[in-house]
Amino acid sequence: MTAPAAAAAPSASGTSPAPASLTSVVIRLKLSLLRNGLRQSSGRKAAYIASVAAALFFAALLLLGLVLLHGHAHAGTLTVILALVLAIGWAAMPLFFPSGDETLDPSRLVMLPLRPEPLVRALLAASLVGIGPLFTLCLAVGAAFAVATNAAAAVTAVIAVPLTVLVCVALARAVAAANVRLLTSRKGRDLAVLSGLVIAIGIQAVNFGAQRLSRAGGLAALDPTGDVVRWLPPSSAIGAVGSASAGSYGTAVAQLAITAAFLVIMLRVWRRTLVRLMTSPDGSTLAAAGASRKESAGGFSRLLPEGRTGTVMLRTLRYIWRDPKTKAAWIASLAIGLIVPLLNAVQGSGSIYFSCFAAGMLGIQMYNQFGQDTSAFWMVAQTIASPRDAFAELRSRALALALVTVPYTALVTVVTAGLLGDWGALPEAMGLAFALLGAMLGTGAVTSARFPYSIPQDNAHKNVAPGQAGLAWISIFGGMVSAALLCSPVIALLIALHVTGNEPYLWILLPLGAVYGAGTAWAGLRAAAPQAAGRLPEILLAVSKG
């Protein structure tokens, strides 16, 4: 008997072995991927254990807090808002952490003969295995317990809690499947690099909301929002428990029905996306994609100066747009430079001089210019044969940065003045910001030539190569202190005009600060050019270590 025939023959008991369920296979696959990943290194295993411990600790704290909230007059409002925030987190998580779960990429199963319905069930069941679902389950149980006050509410909670968890997981899966090709591309990796920025902004938003809430009189201020949110899935499931507690059984049934309908919609959207993903060709497999495509910068390049200046400016702007780490640094600077003055202005504790924070954050981008090129700097070094060439290179990079930093600094200053209603101080604040920006462009050029360091490209969370942390500290913080000292004449003039009662003449700080900033930037570029031209081998060695 041949091997295929033997495989097809019935067993000794007369029955063929039952095929394994696809759901169980996918669950075992996920557990195997997790186990094999932890075996790769002790550091990864320690990080996973630490993350599990942290998640369980915060889940226990939140669960305890929700349990203590039982019977509170505004518990229903808080729990439905918490459920909505949880769902938003689930929807956003695949976009910023696409590599957190290898089974998020269904394109790996394209070559297998799998039908959509069993595959959706299997992936949904596998998605329920992990830290995230356990954390969500704890919050859902705590939220249901906080608003349940009778037997009917307890019965409703038995249905509402699983619905809440399933909606969160199905929503995350639908979003991941719809964006899987984006997440596996370079733009998807850019999103992962920006995840830390999004978390930081989210923390600031929560902090600001908590402060406004405390001034508005506590949780009662959220009741109007809660009245709307309790009808949005999956908050509607938790809202159903509260409705059952209040004796509104018809409302509870309607809210459960809304949640169930949303779950069905998400599953159908997920199924349709899987079918399209597993039957339509990827762009990389098309013949047209294999052909070379000429890239054009469009009309923007025609607006730049001709010669080396325009070429270097265009290259610098392309680095900002395309390189993940450079893009992340720029977006972080743009966001934080706007958030700090605006939040302080909205809170009523700000000053128009906080707008200088934008100039400082953007001026940092001039530091370590050659290190941003990494090992590709050797191609730039071939074009630098004299201090004049080095000056042209650094000047072009500074001009490219100025295209973004100057109008953005002006915009932040104007918006801050508008929120504070302090239009009279706008000229002096903008002049001081321009002076600071120019000083940082100049000192950034000098430190780029004197203290270059490499930026590792194989690690999204490291911005300095091992052994070069001292250079980075000297470059950034030494340059920032020098820029502050260079701005001291403008600051002294500002203080003198205020102290002597010459406020009507404060407007002069705007043109004076702009001219002073341009002068310090030019002087810094002039001082950095001979050092850059004379230290090319040292710079090339330093920036190539990563």
Side-chain angles (χ1 to χ4, degrees):
M1 183 179 295
T2 61
S11 61
S13 60
T15 60
S16 300
S21 169
L22 179 60
T23 301
S24 63
V25 170
V26 174
I27 292 176
R28 291 200 304 270
L29 173 62
K30 180 171 184 176
L31 295 175
S32 298
L33 289 172
L34 176 61
R35 182 174 60 253
N36 294 336
L38 295 178
R39 288 176 177 174
Q40 291 181 1
S41 66
S42 58
R44 184 169 182 175
K45 182 183 297 184
Y48 180 79
I49 294 174
S51 63
V52 171
L56 293 178
F57 175 73
F58 284 109
L61 286 181
L62 289 172
L63 180 59
L64 178 61
L66 290 170
V67 168
L68 296 176
L69 200 64
H70 180 72
H72 193 277
H74 303 289
T77 298
L78 182 62
T79 53
V80 294
I81 294 177
L82 177 63
L84 181 62
V85 172
L86 192 63
I88 294 174
W90 271 94
M93 197 65 67
L95 298 177
F96 297 108
F97 300 99
S99 60
D101 184 358
E102 288 83 351
T103 60
L104 279 175
D105 186 3
S107 62
R108 301 184 180 187
L109 309 175
V110 168
M111 302 304 295
L112 301 178
L114 302 174
R115 301 194 63 81
E117 289 82 3
L119 182 59
V120 168
R121 289 195 300 268
L123 292 177
L124 181 62
S127 301
L128 296 174
V129 178
I131 306 173
L134 178 61
F135 183 85
T136 305
L137 179 62
C138 292
L139 263 63
V141 170
F145 182 83
V147 296
T149 58
N150 54 36
V155 173
T156 306
V158 173
I159 304 174
V161 169
L163 270 179
T164 302
V165 177
L166 288 174
V167 165
C168 290
V169 173
L171 178 61
R173 282 294 187 173
V175 171
N179 298 277
V180 64
R181 286 175 179 166
L182 168 67
L183 299 177
T184 54
S185 65
R186 177 177 58 84
K187 292 183 178 179
R189 292 190 292 272
D190 292 351
L191 287 174
V193 172
L194 298 177
S195 58
L197 172 63
V198 174
I199 293 174
I201 295 176
I203 292 174
Q204 290 297 326
V206 171
N207 180 39
F208 176 67
Q211 293 179 3
R212 292 293 298 271
L213 189 62
S214 62
R215 291 197 296 266
L219 295 176
L222 294 176
D223 285 341
T225 304
D227 293 337
V228 177
V229 172
R230 68 179 68 253
W231 290 98
L232 302 177
S235 301
S236 52
I238 304 300
V241 181
S243 298
S245 297
S248 303
Y249 302 120
T251 302
V253 171
Q255 290 171 319
L256 286 177
I258 290 174
T259 309
F262 184 77
L263 175 60
V264 172
I265 292 173
M266 285 296 98
L267 292 176
R268 287 187 176 274
V269 170
W270 184 14
R271 179 191 179 280
R272 176 175 293 185
T273 306
L274 283 177
V275 172
R276 184 174 66 251
L277 183 67
M278 302 182 75
T279 56
S280 61
D282 189 2
S284 62
T285 64
L286 300 177
S292 60
R293 293 181 293 181
K294 295 183 179 180
E295 185 178 347
S296 175
F300 179 72
S301 61
R302 292 193 292 269
L303 301 177
L304 299 177
E306 295 183 357
R308 177 173 189 147
T309 300
T311 302
V312 175
M313 290 178 66
L314 185 60
R315 184 185 72 219
T316 302
L317 294 173
R318 282 178 172 170
Y319 274 177
I320 295 173
W321 182 251
R322 293 181 178 180
D323 181 64
K325 285 199 171 184
T326 305
K327 181 189 290 188
W330 269 90
I331 293 180
S333 297
L334 292 170
I336 297 175
L338 179 65
I339 289 173
V340 170
L342 261 60
L343 278 182
N344 283 277
V346 171
Q347 290 174 354
S349 60
S351 167
I352 192 172
Y353 298 109
F354 274 109
S355 58
C356 294
F357 203 86
M361 291 298 300
L362 295 175
I364 293 177
Q365 303 308 315
M366 186 64 189
Y367 292 70
N368 196 33
Q369 276 293 305
F370 301 136
Q372 297 175 17
D373 297 344
T374 63
S375 58
F377 175 70
W378 73 271
M379 300 181 66
V380 177
Q382 301 298 317
T383 66
I384 299 177
S386 65
R388 182 176 181 179
D389 295 333
F391 176 76
E393 176 74 23
L394 289 169
R395 181 192 59 190
S396 303
R397 295 185 184 222
L399 288 174
L401 268 61
L403 284 179
V404 181
T405 56
V406 171
Y408 190 79
T409 300
L411 175 64
V412 172
T413 309
V414 170
V415 173
T416 305
L419 290 175
L420 293 172
D422 193 6
W423 293 106
L426 177 61
E428 58 190 90
M430 190 175 294
L432 182 59
F434 285 157
L436 176 61
L437 179 60
M440 295 196 72
L441 291 177
T443 56
V446 174
T447 58
S448 294
R450 291 293 301 170
F451 307 106
Y453 57 91
S454 178
I455 302 176
Q457 298 299 305
D458 57 349
N459 192 319
H461 304 288
K462 287 186 178 181
N463 292 317
V464 182
Q468 294 185 328
L471 286 174
W473 278 89
I474 295 174
S475 174
I476 296 176
F477 290 98
M480 292 172 64
V481 172
S482 300
L485 293 176
L486 287 174
C487 289
S488 57
V490 180
I491 298 174
L493 177 60
L494 172 64
I495 296 174
L497 289 176
H498 274 285
V499 171
T500 58
N502 291 308
E503 284 84 358
Y505 299 100
L506 285 169
W507 63 268
I508 199 174
L509 284 169
L510 177 55
L512 182 63
V515 172
Y516 185 83
T520 53
W522 179 85
L525 293 172
R526 280 295 182 188
Q531 301 181 49
R535 302 183 70 252
L536 282 179
E538 293 88 342
I539 296 175
L540 183 59
L541 180 63
V543 302
S544 301
K545 288 185 177 181

